[in-house]
Amino acid sequence: MDLHKEIEKLKKEKNVVVLAHYYQDSDIQDVADYIGDSLGLAQQAETTSADMIAFAGVHFMAETAKLLNPDKKVVLPDLNAGCSLADSCPPDAFRKFREEHPNHVVISYVNCTAEIKALSDIICTSSNAVKIVESVPVDKKIIFAPDRNLGAYIMKKTGRDMVLWNGSCMVHEIFSREKIMRLKARYPQAEMIAHPECEEAVLLMADFVGSTSALLNYTSRSSTKEFIVSTESGIIYQMQKNNPDKVFIPAPPDNNCACNNCPHMKLNTLEKLYNCIKTGKPEIIIPDDIARKAVIPLKRMLELSAQPV
Ligand code: 13P
Ligand code: SF4
């Protein structure tokens, strides 16, 4: 069976939109109606007129789409496609943390569960985190969760002091500073670009730091021909497609595994995508009481993102 063709057929028959994150395998990216970073995907989910959203990404992203479309069916090819960063922030412990820091505005990175969103005041993504933090009056104290690396980076960028939750992403923490240094010596013309979920030691070596979409745009904008890419390797597919004459070198992890592939993202396959569109399962279901609270900070983020700086 030609899965690509069958998915295209099903999309039309059932009025389905396929939204895919840049970290998905290339065959999934090729069948998507929209490929984006977390912010772009949330914005697309907010405005879609499709009856069903097939979300090729991880669970918290599909949950975000569902929060914005409570009356639509949202399916995820593999319900086990989780996120180490979201897992690093369990709701009970976070509720306690919030109580220990009263009178703080809670800003949560979108990479968290709906329960954490329900405990937050505003959501942000790596694309808009600076803008969201700067929207909070300077006399207000801030809790930033769950990514300590993004939080520390935003603190540096904005000069705001924030209380950070100690969470991290297993993919972005694995890059080896020493191996990147060796790569830089081997490719002296190359620019090193990094996602702000990386550790500070890696970010300090970067020529450009940005969200997945910002990194992609930068590689097209820059006159440089070689890039060392310190983020999940799935993004390289679009970088190479947009810039066939440029060379993209994935930054190496600190061991010998393919750890710069997100194992959660990679649980989705084209076959699972086909099956979930065909059967309408597995479906994302969020308890009403959590959904009602979680959508408020999410919509706040989308409103703030739409406003000019
Ligand atoms: P962005 O899509 O916001 O760049 O985040 C990267 C990521 O880790 C998604 O899981
Ligand atoms: Fe989560 Fe990291 Fe995978 Fe993104 S790359 S989904 S933050 S584990």
Side-chain angles (χ1 to χ4, degrees):
M1 178 160 65
D2 182 340
L3 284 172
H4 192 122
K5 231 160 96 187
E6 291 303 316
I7 290 173
E8 290 299 350
K9 221 162 90 189
L10 276 179
K11 284 201 301 193
K12 283 198 196 87
E13 275 167 31
K14 301 179 94 173
N15 190 22
V16 177
V17 67
V18 175
L19 305 181
H21 192 272
Y22 286 120
Y23 297 169
Q24 291 292 283
D25 281 337
S26 54
D27 54 357
I28 294 183
Q29 293 190 32
D30 284 345
V31 83
D33 299 294
Y34 177 82
I35 318 163
D37 69 356
S38 304
L39 178 62
L41 288 164
Q43 287 166 332
Q44 286 293 316
E46 193 189 23
T47 54
T48 184
S49 59
D51 293 320
M52 194 204 294
I53 300 172
F55 208 109
V58 289
H59 195 272
F60 76 81
M61 296 179 175
E63 245 182 10
T64 300
K66 181 68 182 176
L67 289 171
L68 297 168
N69 295 280
D71 300 327
K72 284 185 182 161
K73 184 174 269 208
V74 178
V75 290
L76 181 66
D78 191 320
L79 216 49
N80 292 319
C83 168
S84 66
L85 181 51
D87 289 347
S88 70
C89 192
D92 285 345
F94 188 63
R95 199 173 290 113
K96 199 160 161 264
F97 184 75
R98 223 179 56 148
E99 283 162 14
E100 284 162 7
H101 300 91
N103 306 318
H104 282 60
V105 174
V106 179
I107 302 182
S108 293
Y109 186 35
V110 71
N111 297 34
C112 64
T113 61
E115 278 172 287
I116 297 298
K117 289 184 177 75
L119 293 168
S120 307
D121 296 305
I122 320 180
I123 303 303
C124 73
T125 74
S126 51
S127 283
N128 61 20
V130 167
K131 189 174 180 178
I132 300 292
V133 168
E134 285 179 340
S135 76
V136 176
V138 282
D139 58 329
K140 296 263 185 220
K141 294 187 209 157
I142 300 174
I143 289 176
F144 189 91
D147 189 45
R148 61 166 180 251
N149 294 319
L150 176 64
Y153 175 72
I154 300 300
M155 272 169 66
K156 254 170 96 173
K157 289 282 277 187
T158 60
R160 294 292 293 267
D161 194 22
M162 303 195 289
V163 180
L164 304 181
W165 178 265
N166 191 18
S168 63
C169 157
M170 62 191 282
V171 179
H172 287 91
E173 280 221 321
I174 200 88
F175 296 114
S176 157
R177 196 174 177 276
E178 286 69 35
K179 288 186 190 169
I180 293 174
M181 253 152 65
R182 269 182 257 145
L183 265 183
K184 277 185 150 219
R186 210 160 105 208
Y187 298 92
Q189 307 300 328
E191 282 192 300
M192 204 286 252
I193 57 174
H195 194 282
E197 283 175 26
C198 295
E199 287 180 323
E200 189 184 17
V202 169
L203 294 180
L204 285 171
M205 299 168 77
D207 298 291
F208 181 79
V209 176
S211 73
T212 312
S213 294
L215 295 178
L216 178 63
N217 293 339
Y218 183 75
T219 55
S220 295
R221 209 165 66 229
S222 167
S223 55
T224 308
K225 295 281 181 215
E226 294 165 338
F227 297 89
I228 300 166
V229 183
S230 299
T231 190
E232 213 272 356
S233 54
I235 184 66
I236 292 179
Y237 180 58
Q238 293 299 327
M239 289 176 173
Q240 196 71 77
K241 225 168 142 180
N242 295 350
N243 303 282
D245 58 325
K246 297 186 180 180
V247 175
F248 299 95
I249 308 145
D254 61 9
N255 54 26
N256 293 324
C257 74
C259 306
N260 50 355
N261 281 330
C262 172
H264 309 289
M265 287 276 181
K266 269 36 178 190
L267 279 178
N268 294 329
T269 62
L270 202 58
E271 194 175 354
K272 289 181 194 170
L273 178 62
Y274 167 78
N275 285 333
C276 79
I277 299 174
K278 192 165 170 62
T279 62
K281 284 186 197 130
E283 190 182 350
I284 300 290
I285 310 279
I286 308 171
D288 279 350
D289 54 331
I290 294 174
R292 263 197 310 274
K293 289 183 198 153
V295 76
I296 298 169
L298 190 57
K299 288 212 163 149
R300 205 166 279 152
M301 169 190 86
L302 291 168
E303 279 157 25
L304 281 167
S305 294
Q307 286 168 17
V309 190

